[in-house]
């Protein structure tokens, strides 16, 4: 099984990605690091513990990380949620029971460095929140890139944005961290953008199938994704919603769930209207070398099937 560490700011879609990584037989979730993002560090940590307890994975360690961006004292401006500034698709606490397990005493950055240093084989990193923890670990141990076989990041966009007209939330929340990670020289960096995740929307019908599984993961996925569909469609009728973060974990078991292209990606850190934008150079013969495998398209049907197959499992 592919061994991975997830860095999350658990919210509803991080929760679906965590359940996928913990339950899929081809993945071995070694540990989870939490970061300030959708909600505060305390809340993202509590939500992460709730999810792992709920599916019977309380043994997977959770290490809390940064409470704020690595350079700025806060986000560039007041945040709007990934439903395009309408209502909040996350809420502060996930609607599953409070956790019985506790976070580890060791912090996220120390855990990342120690685990990667001690790993017999390179480990995969899946980062689905602001990149503050990853950047801080790189600042302490630049050589950690050599002990990671691939970092998969949910972030950025080319023709699609959410938190502002120009940027995607994870990159925007800590633009300097994102710039550091993109420039760090990971052997393989895969960037799953909003352009991809918005093409892999999950429908109400799919939620009904998930609820029908009668498993903890299926029940929770229905609840979390249903809340996202409510936020995206203002509660009206059918609708569908992107579940951004789970595209990253699904990609690990079925790379064809997305279509990627090697492209140069930089992050705007100084712009007024554009801070946090991923500048993706799609021009033929772009002068800069590609530093990321960028997913701009995804397969909704394949993703949906992967969810029902994986969430049928119980531990
Ligand atoms: C990203 O921001 C958060 O709202 C989601 O959890 C996802 O990681 C999408 O822009
Ligand atoms: Ca997230």
């Amino acid at each position: 099984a592919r061994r991975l560490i997830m860095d999350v700011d658990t919210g509803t879609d991080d929760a679906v990605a965590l359940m996928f990584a913990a339950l899929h037989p081809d993945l071995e979730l070694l540990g989870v690091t939490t970061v300030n993002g959708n909600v505060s560090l305390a809340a993202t940590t509590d939500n992460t513990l709730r999810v792992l307890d709920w599916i019977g994975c309380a043994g997977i360690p959770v290490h809390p990380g940064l409470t704020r961006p690595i350079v700025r004292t806060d986000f560039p401006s007041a945040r709007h949620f990934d439903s395009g500034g309408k209502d909040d698709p996350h809420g502060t606490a996930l609607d599953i029971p409070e956790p019985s397990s506790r976070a580890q005493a060791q912090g996220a950055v120390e855990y990342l460095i120690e685990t990667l240093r001690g790993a017999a084989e390179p480990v995969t990193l899946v980062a689905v929140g602001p990149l503050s923890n990853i950047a801080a670990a790189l600042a302490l141990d630049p050589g950690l890139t050599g002990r990671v076989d691939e970092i998969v990041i949910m972030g950025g966009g080319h023709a699609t944005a959410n938190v502002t007209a120009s940027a995607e939330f994870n990159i925007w929340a800590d633009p300097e961290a994102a710039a550091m990670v993109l420039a760090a020289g990971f052997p393989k960096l895969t960037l799953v953008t909003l352009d991809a995740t918005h093409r892999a929307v999950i429908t109400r019908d799919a939620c009904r199938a998930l609820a029908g599984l009668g498993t903890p993961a299926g029940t929770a996925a229905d609840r979390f994704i249903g809340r996202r569909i409510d936020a995206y469609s203002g509660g009206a009728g059918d609708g569908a919603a992107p579940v951004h973060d789970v595209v990253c974990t699904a990609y690990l078991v079925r790379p064809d769930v997305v279509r990627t292209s090697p492209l140069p990606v930089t992050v705007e850190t100084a712009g007024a209207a554009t801070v946090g934008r991923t500048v993706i150079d799609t021009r033929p013969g772009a002068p800069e070398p590609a530093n990321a495998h960028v997913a701009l398209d995804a397969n909704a049907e394949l993703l949906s099937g992967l969810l029902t197959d994986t969430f049928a499992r119980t531990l």
Side-chain angles (χ1 to χ4, degrees), residues 19-44:
M19 295 194 296
F20 191 96
L23 291 170
H24 196 285
D26 298 351
L27 298 176
E28 183 186 354
L29 182 55
L30 299 177
V32 184
T33 51
T34 55
V35 69
N36 171 58
N38 282 315
V39 286
S40 69
L41 176 69
T44 62

Side-chain angles (χ1 to χ4, degrees), residues 55-267:
I55 59 170
C57 290
I60 296 175
V62 176
H63 295 263
L66 272 62
T67 60
R68 46 156 283 189
I70 52 162
V71 172
R72 302 161 188 256
T73 54
D74 200 349
F75 298 156
S77 62
R79 91 175 77 175
H80 296 288
F81 292 97
D82 70 5
S83 56
K86 291 193 292 291
D87 42 356
D88 167 10
H90 301 287
T92 300
L94 291 178
D95 48 354
I96 49 177
E98 291 198 3
S100 49
S101 52
R102 310 247 326 216
Q104 302 298 309
Q106 184 184 46
V109 177
E110 301 84 344
Y111 168 74
L112 282 167
I113 291 170
E114 184 182 281
T115 305
L116 292 173
R117 275 203 181 131
E121 297 290 317
V123 172
T124 299
L125 289 185
V126 175
V128 294
L131 291 163
S132 316
N133 289 343
I134 313 297
L138 284 167
L140 277 177
D141 180 10
L144 75 78
T145 52
R147 293 184 288 282
V148 172
D149 61 356
E150 181 175 11
I151 181 167
V152 186
I153 296 167
M154 191 283 128
H158 184 54
T160 317
N162 58 12
V163 67
T164 68
S166 186
E168 177 280 325
F169 176 76
N170 289 340
I171 307 298
W172 170 88
D174 194 341
E176 287 76 15
M180 272 178 67
V181 171
L182 279 161
F186 281 96
K188 186 174 183 185
L189 189 154
T190 299
L191 185 70
V192 178
T193 70
L194 289 175
D195 300 67
T197 64
H198 278 255
R199 285 181 174 77
V201 293
I202 304 296
T203 65
R204 283 256 195 244
D205 271 349
C207 286
R208 279 189 276 274
L210 289 166
L213 295 173
T215 58
T219 301
D222 168 51
R223 209 173 290 176
F224 300 152
I225 302 172
R227 177 181 186 122
R228 299 184 58 80
I229 297 175
D230 292 343
Y232 271 79
S233 58
D238 259 348
V243 189
H244 312 283
D245 297 341
V246 74
V247 180
C248 295
T249 45
Y251 155 80
L252 289 181
V253 299
R254 285 292 302 267
D256 55 334
V257 79
V258 293
R259 191 141 46 90
T260 63
S261 315
L263 292 168
V265 183
T266 54
V267 177

Side-chain angles (χ1 to χ4, degrees), residues 8-10 13-14 38 128-130 170 245:
V8 297
D9 63 330
T10 306
D13 58 328
D14 309 68
N38 282 315
V128 294
N170 289 340
D245 297 341

